Amino acid sequence: MYKSDKFYLAICATPLGQNGNGGHTHNDKLGFELWIDGEDIVRDPGTYLYTPLPHRRNEFRSTKAHNVPVIDDIEQNSWTEGIIGLFHLFKNSECFVKDFGEHLFELVLEFKDIKIVRRFDIKEYYLRVEDNCSKEFYYKKFPFYSNGYGRLSRNE
């Protein structure tokens, strides 16, 4: 995390959590949130709901819901369909720091036969985010945002 009075950057490189169970974890490795001068520039989509709408829970925790490279619609970590899978992810990915310094941060994400390197260069007047991947990738703009449990709005 990089933080000042006018700038906030949080980058996800966390393990699955809950002793590797991934109960509340999302497929957001390499994802980030960016805030500048009090304005959300890039934000996480949130959680929305847990059990009432299982398909929405899975949609909000999916790779495509986050600002990360997407490869062939493959999830970073897989889950079992249905209620039983809502609070568990199978650990299919590893995320680790490759390099860091005062104004840069470089992470690696590996899953299946995919390797993604994401580099953040913090400049005086801009942030540069560069992605390199062992396979072709794309970015998906997720249409929803949830700023609290059960709250749903459209992303602008």
Side-chain angles (χ1 to χ4, degrees), residues 94-118:
E94 283 291 329
C95 191
F96 56 91
V97 176
K98 181 179 178 186
D99 194 10
F100 70 94
E102 187 175 354
H103 299 288
L104 76 92
F105 205 81
E106 193 168 38
L107 298 167
V108 175
L109 174 65
E110 295 177 341
F111 60 103
K112 314 283 184 192
D113 60 342
I114 299 163
K115 180 177 181 179
I116 304 170
V117 178
R118 178 169 265 188

Side-chain angles (χ1 to χ4, degrees), residues 58 61 77-90:
N58 288 334
R61 69 179 178 157
N77 299 288
S78 58
W79 60 75
T80 302
E81 291 299 326
I83 296 291
I84 195 144
L86 292 180
F87 296 97
H88 179 267
L89 285 176
F90 294 101

Side-chain angles (χ1 to χ4, degrees), residues 27 29-30 63 68-78 90-96 108-117 133-137:
N27 282 334
K29 307 304 176 249
L30 304 182
T63 300
V68 299
V70 179
I71 296 95
D72 295 329
D73 297 337
I74 299 170
E75 292 294 334
Q76 295 176 357
N77 299 288
S78 58
F90 294 101
K91 186 177 185 264
N92 305 124
S93 69
E94 283 291 329
C95 191
F96 56 91
V108 175
L109 174 65
E110 295 177 341
F111 60 103
K112 314 283 184 192
D113 60 342
I114 299 163
K115 180 177 181 179
I116 304 170
V117 178
C133 184
S134 60
K135 296 197 173 213
E136 285 194 41
F137 63 91

Side-chain angles (χ1 to χ4, degrees), residues 111-127:
F111 60 103
K112 314 283 184 192
D113 60 342
I114 299 163
K115 180 177 181 179
I116 304 170
V117 178
R118 178 169 265 188
R119 181 183 174 105
F120 297 84
D121 286 308
I122 302 169
K123 305 296 185 184
E124 186 173 355
Y125 295 106
Y126 66 93
L127 170 68

